[in-house]
Amino acid sequence: MEEWDEIEVPRNVKDIFVEMKNTAELMVDLAYSSLLFNEEEMAEEVLELEEYLDLLNYHLMVHAVLAARSPREAEQITSILHMAHAIDDMSNAAADLAKMVLEGVQLHPVITEAILGSEEIIGKIYVSADSILVGRTLEELDLATNTGVWIVAVRRGKRWIFNPDGDFKIFPGDVLIGRGTDTSINYLKEIARGNIKVMGDGRA
Amino acid sequence: MEEWDEIEVPRNVKDIFVEMKNTAELMVDLAYSSLLFNEEEMAEEVLELEEYLDLLNYHLMVHAVLAARSPREAEQITSILHMAHAIDDMSNAAADLAKMVLEGVQLHPVITEAILGSEEIIGKIYVSADSILVGRTLEELDLATNTGVWIVAVRRGKRWIFNPDGDFKIFPGDVLIGRGTDTSINYLKEIARGNIKVMGDGRA
């Protein structure tokens, strides 16, 4: 992520708020992923996102406080700050998880087992050259709807792409890090291996 | 939820840990849902789950501390307690959100907009009598894989069912509360209305 003074922060309370919520959720996914795969770079991204979230929170507060014009509005605006605080708490918890990776703490095997044994798990999906995923964008594929897997990061060669956007085009050899149920992850793995050639109901 | 002395707590560290992680994630989904729909009963469930999670955390600590037999094991076990603490922080943040509903705080409209404008949103899905969902269990339907929607609660008449399990059979008139992308939620809504008669790639 770039330096903060180059970062564009959304310009209204709603957009800042949405960005905060999305960022915190991404942080949680990346934090569990970094623990599961013992990936320092991913853990570092979580800490950078934490700083970004603090910046968003600051902008939110400035905007929110400026917006209050009556006691009723002030109470409503307090509810925004309250929710922002809760989101910030969640992001701090995610950062605490990521710090375990960076501090090189000896992780108990139960940590991996718990991440892989939950209702929603994190999976690593290798894309083979003859997969229908290759050459298509995440927006076209809409994996969240068609397979139930939410892509949080992609490893391409030595490089990580975190939170890839809709324009991101999948290459052969990409490694997708996804969150979903066990069944969803296995389904996407079969598609990524080239064993399943049609996805969803054929809409994709 | 029943009284705690009737509640069965899993008997080993891994299962307790998985239960804690699942519970915290459910709490976050239910907390956002309770804010979105201003549902007190849902908010109360979040607070009950918080107590349940505290109980799990206590059992985890007892089991974990008993298990340590060497300094290396002690360090590894510390990592479990560290992660449990982070999960507990996330659940507390979810409880803070739920308390806003119970305290009757005047919520700013931006809160609803942010929950509905995020990458993953919460949706309310009405099941009509001629939907293919009717009469089938959540396990058979596997909505998480086939539609990308995670069902967090169901409203049946005046009753809420939170975190319905795989055996749960859908009835006409049920209202599903689900988490997913905007596209996923809309896709499931079409299925629930009876407008789409085949789901996923026909596996279901």
Side-chain angles (χ1 to χ4, degrees):
Chain A
M1 193 165 272
E2 350 278 310
E3 286 305 308
W4 301 131
D5 46 13
E6 298 165 13
I7 292 279
E8 238 179 84
V9 169
R11 285 176 182 278
N12 66 65
V13 170
K14 187 212 148 187
D15 292 345
I16 299 175
F17 212 24
V18 166
E19 182 85 353
M20 283 183 70
K21 188 166 173 293
N22 288 338
T23 303
E25 282 156 17
L26 174 65
M27 285 174 69
V28 173
D29 288 338
L30 287 177
Y32 283 130
S33 305
S34 71
L35 278 173
L36 182 60
F37 304 123
N38 198 21
E39 275 289 349
E40 292 200 6
E41 208 177 317
M42 211 175 239
E44 275 160 14
E45 177 73 7
V46 175
L47 299 193
E48 290 191 19
L49 289 170
E50 191 193 15
E51 283 184 45
Y52 175 52
L53 205 135
D54 285 343
L55 181 79
L56 289 168
N57 202 3
Y58 172 77
H59 281 265
L60 182 82
M61 285 193 278
V62 171
H63 278 75
V65 169
L66 276 172
R69 288 200 167 74
S70 69
R72 187 189 155 83
E73 273 186 3
E75 185 181 344
Q76 286 192 332
I77 282 165
T78 304
S79 72
I80 297 180
L81 301 179
H82 194 130
M83 180 158 155
H85 189 81
I87 290 174
D88 194 42
D89 283 348
M90 289 185 212
S91 77
N92 289 336
D96 282 344
L97 293 176
K99 281 174 198 158
M100 290 168 72
V101 175
L102 294 174
E103 287 163 4
V105 173
Q106 283 289 334
L107 300 181
H108 196 284
V110 150
I111 289 186
T112 311
E113 289 169 25
I115 297 172
L116 292 177
S118 304
E119 288 180 347
E120 283 196 296
I121 65 167
I122 301 284
K124 211 177 223 176
I125 300 123
Y126 298 87
V127 180
S128 92
D130 51 350
S131 168
I132 53 165
L133 302 176
V134 169
R136 297 168 78 187
T137 65
L138 289 180
E139 188 174 359
E140 285 163 13
L141 292 165
D142 191 4
L143 299 176
T145 306
N146 289 308
T147 68
V149 179
W150 185 268
I151 305 299
V152 295
V154 179
R155 178 96 191 176
R156 175 168 292 169
K158 293 191 170 177
R159 199 162 66 93
W160 275 112
I161 298 105
F162 298 111
N163 200 27
D165 62 20
D167 295 335
F168 182 86
K169 194 176 274 186
I170 295 184
F171 285 8
D174 279 352
V175 182
L176 317 177
I177 307 296
R179 188 223 326 136
T181 61
D182 198 32
T183 323
S184 312
I185 299 276
N186 284 328
Y187 177 44
L188 182 55
K189 278 182 181 171
E190 290 301 306
I191 293 169
R193 278 191 197 112
N195 294 340
I196 293 179
K197 296 289 190 188
V198 185
M199 195 174 54
D201 57 2
R203 284 168 304 154
Chain B
M1 192 164 270
E2 350 278 310
E3 286 304 309
W4 303 130
D5 47 12
E6 297 165 13
I7 292 278
E8 240 179 83
V9 169
R11 287 178 181 275
N12 66 65
V13 170
K14 187 211 147 187
D15 291 345
I16 299 175
F17 212 23
V18 166
E19 183 85 353
M20 284 183 70
K21 187 167 173 292
N22 288 338
T23 303
E25 281 155 18
L26 174 65
M27 284 173 69
V28 173
D29 289 337
L30 288 177
Y32 283 130
S33 306
S34 71
L35 277 174
L36 181 60
F37 304 123
N38 198 20
E39 274 289 349
E40 292 201 8
E41 208 177 317
M42 211 176 239
E44 275 161 14
E45 177 72 8
V46 175
L47 299 192
E48 290 191 19
L49 288 171
E50 191 193 16
E51 283 185 46
Y52 175 52
L53 204 135
D54 285 342
L55 182 78
L56 289 168
N57 202 4
Y58 172 77
H59 282 265
L60 182 82
M61 285 193 277
V62 171
H63 280 74
V65 169
L66 277 173
R69 288 199 168 75
S70 68
R72 186 188 155 84
E73 273 187 4
E75 184 181 345
Q76 286 191 333
I77 282 164
T78 305
S79 72
I80 297 180
L81 301 180
H82 194 130
M83 179 157 155
H85 190 81
I87 290 174
D88 194 41
D89 283 348
M90 289 185 212
S91 77
N92 289 336
D96 283 344
L97 293 176
K99 280 174 198 158
M100 290 168 72
V101 175
L102 295 173
E103 287 163 5
V105 173
Q106 284 289 334
L107 300 182
H108 195 284
V110 150
I111 289 186
T112 311
E113 289 168 26
I115 297 173
L116 292 177
S118 304
E119 288 181 345
E120 284 197 294
I121 64 167
I122 301 284
K124 212 176 221 177
I125 299 122
Y126 298 87
V127 180
S128 91
D130 51 352
S131 168
I132 54 166
L133 302 176
V134 168
R136 298 167 77 188
T137 66
L138 289 181
E139 189 175 357
E140 285 163 13
L141 292 166
D142 191 2
L143 298 176
T145 306
N146 289 308
T147 68
V149 179
W150 185 268
I151 305 299
V152 295
V154 180
R155 179 95 192 178
R156 175 168 294 168
K158 294 191 170 177
R159 199 161 67 92
W160 274 112
I161 299 105
F162 298 111
N163 199 26
D165 62 21
D167 295 337
F168 182 87
K169 194 177 275 187
I170 295 184
F171 284 9
D174 279 351
V175 182
L176 317 177
I177 306 295
R179 187 224 326 136
T181 61
D182 196 33
T183 322
S184 312
I185 299 275
N186 284 329
Y187 177 45
L188 182 55
K189 278 183 180 170
E190 289 301 305
I191 294 169
R193 277 191 198 112
N195 294 340
I196 294 180
K197 295 291 191 187
V198 184
M199 193 174 55
D201 58 0
R203 285 168 303 154

